[in-house]
Amino acid sequence: MRDPIFPVEKFRTLRTPFYYYDCQTLNETLTCIRQEAAKHANFVVHYAVKANAHPRILNLICQSGLGADCVSGGEIRAALQAGFPAEKIVFAGVGKADWEIELGLEAGIFCFNVESVPELEVINQLAADKGKVARVAFRINPDVGAHTHAHITTGLAENKFGISMRDMDYVIDLAQGMEHVQFIGLHFHIGSQILEMDDFIALSNRINELQDKLEARGIQIDHINVGGGLGIDYQKPTEHPIPDFATFFNTYASHLQLRAGQTLHFELGRSVVAQCGSLIAKVLYVKQGTDKQFAILDAGMTDLIRPALYQAYHQTDNITSEGEVRKYDVVGPICESSDVFGKDIPLNEVKRGDLLALRSAGAYGEIMASGYNCRELPKGYLSDEL
Ligand SMILES: *Cc1c(COP(=O)(O)O)cnc(C)c1O
């Protein structure tokens, strides 16, 4: 348990709002991932770049030895630029454009996680044009629910992602008849912010069934990729700065029946970067409403959209006051009623000019910022540069 030490005096010299990333938390998280994964033979961890693509964060993650999981050409570029070797990059996404596939082929990425037959055909064609062979894995929709917000479950038959289990044999046969793709494995990703290990057990059981079916047809696969999804403690970031990677990896180790020589891949996003980041915002006004008080910040949903988009909770601390605790509705300046970070939030007495930290904002925060209302994008600072 460790409270982040916010360098408030330095914060006062920076233009708000901005993201602040605590290097110690990030490094301890990366060390934990590395140590826990190393306890299992053939576990390979990739970082899901979409959670946070700050160049220095990418670089630190790359240095810790993780691979990169990309969902766009832009992310492939960002990963390469940060130093990830192409052979550690996997590329997922339900709608890969031709130029993105070409970029992946030219870089020589490890694998395309293919989500449909037409995509497979296009990859085969584009690889043929370049005289290359693309390694492909099929993203299978396992029809496994995840106990998380409806907007971030991805593994149900009704979701747009992946190839249905019914079509799995057909697409594998199709790939094996193509000259410019090499079928190397199966890919899954059932959702995000998952805290119930039962969901990962259900996925493991499903994969076991699918593997048995494939084996009965004499089909061997070298790589299984179970995606990401491990959740973090948004309620208690100080008490639980590092997710329980040990239990996560052990759950797969004891339930997924890996065959000899198979590699198990993971794509972790949120669990790697969420707890190291906070959005630092300044209080512009304290407004007395009819029966509540509003703390109006200079940060809004354009800087951190998770509360508006997923009804997400971010613990909020007044880092410049030790006054009596009162309750506030913490809101942004954007012209949208959904621009609310939280209602009835207990905070040390708030005055104009105070700085608030919205915690656990390192994942899906800065990267999802927009310029709506002609607002400037927030900057991101790492603790070692302040
Ligand atoms: C978003 C995503 C991830 C990462 O999910 P987290 O919940 O952030 O760990 C991994 N794989 C794929 C294919 C994704 O789309």
Side-chain angles (χ1 to χ4, degrees):
M1 168 156 158
R2 186 170 62 80
D3 247 323
I5 301 143
F6 292 115
V8 172
E9 289 315 310
K10 285 178 182 149
F11 284 180
R12 292 267 184 219
T13 67
L14 300 171
R15 176 179 172 148
T16 50
F18 60 87
Y19 278 88
Y20 175 73
Y21 302 107
D22 181 61
C23 293
Q24 192 182 338
T25 302
L26 177 59
N27 284 326
E28 284 173 9
T29 305
L30 291 169
T31 301
C32 179
I33 293 171
R34 201 169 48 238
Q35 288 175 349
E36 294 304 329
K39 291 179 183 166
H40 306 278
N42 303 326
F43 277 25
V44 172
V45 182
H46 305 265
Y47 167 63
V49 173
K50 75 173 191 276
N52 187 318
H54 186 292
R56 285 209 49 222
I57 290 188
L58 285 185
N59 185 252
L60 289 171
I61 294 172
C62 165
Q63 283 175 21
S64 83
L66 271 60
D69 162 44
C70 299
V71 293
S72 73
E75 286 190 0
I76 293 176
R77 280 191 190 129
L80 290 169
Q81 209 142 39
F84 288 93
E87 60 272 18
K88 281 188 173 182
I89 295 178
V90 295
F91 182 17
V94 70
K96 301 180 188 72
D98 292 17
W99 74 265
E100 295 176 306
I101 294 169
E102 285 167 349
L103 179 68
L105 289 168
E106 273 154 28
I109 62 168
F110 174 64
C111 187
F112 292 83
N113 291 330
V114 173
E115 303 213 15
S116 68
V117 169
E119 180 193 335
L120 178 69
E121 287 165 345
V122 169
I123 292 175
N124 185 52
Q125 182 58 54
L126 295 176
D129 294 347
K130 292 186 186 299
K132 297 192 183 232
V133 175
R135 282 174 294 275
V136 299
F138 289 116
R139 177 169 181 175
I140 304 297
N141 186 323
D143 200 14
V144 168
H147 295 88
T148 185
H149 191 274
H151 290 180
I152 49 177
T153 127
T154 55
L156 285 173
E158 69 195 57
N159 297 129
K160 70 179 175 180
F161 298 99
I163 291 166
S164 74
M165 290 181 285
R166 199 189 52 213
D167 295 336
M168 179 181 74
D169 287 338
Y170 164 70
V171 291
I172 291 174
D173 291 347
L174 198 61
Q176 288 182 330
M178 289 179 174
E179 270 183 47
H180 293 274
V181 297
Q182 182 196 355
F183 167 67
I184 64 165
L186 299 180
H187 174 234
F188 306 84
H189 174 67
I190 56 172
S192 200
Q193 185 53 21
I194 298 168
L195 290 165
E196 293 190 31
M197 293 302 123
D198 283 356
D199 294 338
F200 300 123
I201 293 172
L203 175 61
S204 299
N205 292 338
R206 179 70 81 194
I207 294 172
N208 294 339
E209 282 169 30
L210 296 176
Q211 285 225 82
D212 289 344
K213 272 183 62 188
L214 290 175
E215 255 173 10
R217 296 184 59 221
I219 296 169
Q220 286 272 357
I221 53 179
D222 295 333
H223 300 275
I224 295 180
N225 183 333
V226 289
L230 177 61
I232 63 135
D233 193 343
Y234 281 101
Q235 310 297 321
K236 292 190 159 47
T238 299
E239 288 85 341
H240 300 130
I242 299 180
D244 189 356
F245 294 107
T247 300
F248 176 70
F249 290 131
N250 285 336
T251 299
Y252 278 108
S254 46
H255 291 275
L256 202 154
Q257 290 156 12
L258 268 195
R259 311 305 201 239
Q262 265 183 349
T263 305
L264 186 61
H265 298 255
F266 298 86
E267 301 168 338
L268 297 172
R270 185 190 312 271
S271 53
V272 183
V273 291
Q275 296 292 36
C276 76
S278 296
L279 175 63
I280 308 297
K282 192 178 283 174
V283 176
L284 296 175
Y285 304 104
V286 179
K287 177 162 108 170
Q288 185 63 55
T290 322
D291 45 23
K292 46 174 62 191
Q293 288 212 94
F294 295 95
I296 302 171
L297 310 187
D298 61 359
M301 62 191 287
T302 52
D303 306 293
L304 178 63
I305 200 175
R306 300 191 63 260
L309 195 57
Y310 313 121
Q311 291 82 51
Y313 167 81
H314 287 268
Q315 187 187 305
T316 303
D317 300 328
N318 186 343
I319 59 174
T320 49
S321 163
E322 292 187 340
E324 195 185 320
V325 174
R326 302 206 175 137
K327 288 198 169 168
Y328 300 86
D329 280 16
V330 179
V331 304
I334 312 298
C335 301
E336 291 280 339
S337 294
S338 56
D339 187 31
V340 175
F341 288 123
K343 296 191 170 168
D344 290 323
I345 304 296
L347 290 171
N348 294 102
E349 186 178 10
V350 176
K351 301 178 303 305
R352 169 173 165 84
D354 279 348
L355 295 176
L356 302 194
L358 285 96
R359 307 279 303 278
S360 313
Y364 307 108
E366 184 180 358
I367 194 75
M368 291 180 97
S370 82
Y372 181 47
N373 284 193
C374 287
R375 285 168 60 83
E376 238 174 66
L377 294 177
K379 289 200 164 58
Y381 300 100
L382 275 66
S383 53
D384 64 1
E385 61 189 299
L386 292 186

